[in-house]
Amino acid sequence: MTTQSEGLRACAIVDLDAVRASVATLVARAGNAATMAVVKSDGYGHGMSACARAAVEAGASWLGVAVIEEGLALRAAGFTVPVFAWLTAPGEPLADALAADIDLSASAPWMLAEIAAAARHTGRRARVHLKADTGLGRGGATEADWPSLCDAAAALAAEDLIEVTGVWSHLAFADSPGHPTVRGQIGRFADAVTIAEKTGLRPQVRHLANSAATLVSPDARFDMVRPGISVYGLSPGPQVGSPAALGLRPAMTLTARLALAKRVPAGSGVSYAHRYTTAVASTLGLVPLGYADGVPRAAGNTAEVLLAGRRRRIAGTVCMDQFVVDVGDDPVQAGDQVILFGSGEHGEPTAQDWADALGTINYEIVTRVGVRVPRVHLNASDGPRGTGRQAPGGPGAARPAPGMAGSAPAAVGPSDAGLSGAGSSGPGLPGAGPSAPGWLPS
Ligand SMILES: *Cc1c(COP(=O)(O)O)cnc(C)c1O
């Protein structure tokens, strides 16, 4: 364990060297295209500022988020690279976004009208990416509506209220390599770009590719790629390949310490509704994480954890704050480390194993880790205006994460979604931290 995770009931350890290594792979795969690291939803649960900084250090030149608040939090944390926020509902504070120099997306004329109003209000020209629905059937203008969206944007550009920075779209089946819709969407996207150009628009960046397409569909790269899940070292799907095969390193390890270990007789009912009963006299370990922390309730009697050198299935119902593991006659005691998931290198399950057990995707497993679970960032780089506080573990111990100045202990904090006002140095600074300490018990 790291020095920083000692004394914590539970934590999500996030190795920023793994983020840097994975982003370096993505930047290399992107070739001449720029890389926008997608850090929405608190960096897929990994801590937005720390991961964004690691991504920029590894060569990402844009940051992508879903909502405006996330973009504002990046600016508050000191990031100066272009930031794109693509999901808004009518009536949002677009003036704040323009004041913070956040690029916005428009799929419909009402959004362009709101952006133009915010531009008039602030006196700042808005940077807008027009979104085409090329087949995902989610956001974006349909093929029928696209020409009029381009016309409306061109009119606002002529008034100098907006600048069409980008044209973009999103893929439906990128995680099924070779799926015919990928080729079809690439073609429709190229057509949408042509129409935009015929309208007189000159977008600097055309972007379509998520992680899967960045890794396996070179034709989808255009001027910029938008990888998300792979930034955190996870594969976008089993069909795309394992993290190792893709050159990715899973960054998060979700871990806890047993809150109690006790001997019980055969036939003991365990947890709510006794969905598990001990077959023989046995030792139960109590893990202080529950569905409020992101351990799905459906994981009861299903998902496995690593404890005392072996994988063990969760015994009975997962509660809001805790669940139980039956370790039989193995010697465990309160304080012993439990690993729910990690890279798999030490025999622990992976987020993909949890996803497989629960019929979901690894994205959901990592993103739902709750705000009560501190993120411990390993190998954070020191910025010139960082706290400068060296963790007690000396060289190799975790350092303060960017945007977390003043939090204590160093590099340990709640997830930073919604963080605002935390002063920090800008990204892109030299001096990556030392390599990860051996935090696992030997
Ligand atoms: C989340 C998201 C991404 C990143 O997708 P991954 O599959 O995580 O790489 C890219 N673009 C948009 C529009 C998204 O919503």
Side-chain angles (χ1 to χ4, degrees), residues 44-364:
Y44 289 48
H46 292 66
M48 183 171 70
S49 300
C51 292
R53 183 171 181 136
V56 170
E57 287 165 347
S61 51
W62 285 63
L63 294 170
V65 291
V67 300
I68 288 174
E69 305 90 277
E70 294 170 327
L72 295 175
L74 286 171
R75 289 287 183 241
F79 290 93
T80 54
V81 297
V83 169
F84 178 43
W86 54 72
L87 189 61
T88 43
E92 289 202 44
L94 302 186
D96 293 351
L98 297 197
D101 205 17
I102 293 168
D103 288 34
L104 297 170
S105 173
S107 295
W110 67 260
M111 180 62 177
L112 283 176
E114 288 202 5
I115 292 172
R120 280 193 195 94
H121 181 74
T122 57
R124 294 183 75 123
R125 189 187 330 123
R127 290 163 54 93
V128 180
H129 301 233
L130 299 179
K131 184 169 194 190
D133 183 355
T134 57
L136 173 58
R138 199 175 72 178
T142 61
E143 217 171 326
D145 293 339
W146 180 250
S148 56
L149 185 70
C150 290
D151 286 341
L156 296 174
E159 282 188 67
D160 214 25
L161 290 169
I162 72 167
E163 166 191 354
V164 176
T165 316
V167 169
W168 75 296
S169 188
H170 198 38
L171 295 165
F173 286 95
D175 56 345
S176 303
H179 197 282
T181 59
V182 176
R183 176 129 307 284
Q185 282 196 260
I186 290 170
R188 276 194 291 284
F189 184 61
D191 293 345
V193 170
T194 303
I195 289 168
E197 286 170 347
K198 281 191 181 142
T199 317
L201 302 173
R202 294 286 173 269
Q204 301 151 24
V205 282
R206 303 161 297 162
H207 49 110
L208 176 64
N210 56 5
S211 291
T214 301
L215 290 162
V216 300
S217 301
D219 294 350
R221 288 172 195 151
F222 292 89
D223 305 312
M224 183 161 74
V225 297
R226 299 189 311 271
I229 193 76
S230 52
V231 165
Y232 312 96
L234 298 176
S235 168
Q239 308 96 299
V240 182
S242 68
L246 296 169
L248 306 174
R249 273 176 55 192
M252 184 192 288
T253 300
L254 182 60
T255 178
R257 295 189 174 279
L258 285 189
L260 182 69
K262 66 184 176 194
R263 206 59 198 162
V264 298
S268 298
V270 173
S271 193
Y272 289 133
H274 290 180
R275 291 198 178 90
Y276 181 89
T277 304
T278 55
V280 294
S282 197
T283 300
L284 301 179
L286 182 65
V287 181
L289 285 171
Y291 59 78
D293 304 301
V295 179
R297 191 167 179 277
N301 286 329
T302 302
E304 293 180 337
V305 302
L306 182 69
L307 168 59
R310 281 183 45 197
R311 287 209 199 179
R312 306 166 196 271
R313 185 156 293 150
I314 293 172
T317 303
V318 173
C319 312
M320 187 182 294
D321 318 300
Q322 45 196 312
F323 65 84
V324 176
V325 179
D326 180 351
V327 301
D329 291 330
D330 291 349
V332 299
Q333 55 185 14
D336 283 359
Q337 188 190 28
V338 184
I339 301 180
L340 284 77
F341 59 80
S343 69
E345 273 172 69
H346 306 280
E348 74 275 25
T350 61
Q352 186 61 48
D353 291 332
W354 274 69
D356 292 345
L358 294 164
T360 182
I361 55 177
N362 55 15
Y363 297 63
E364 190 177 3

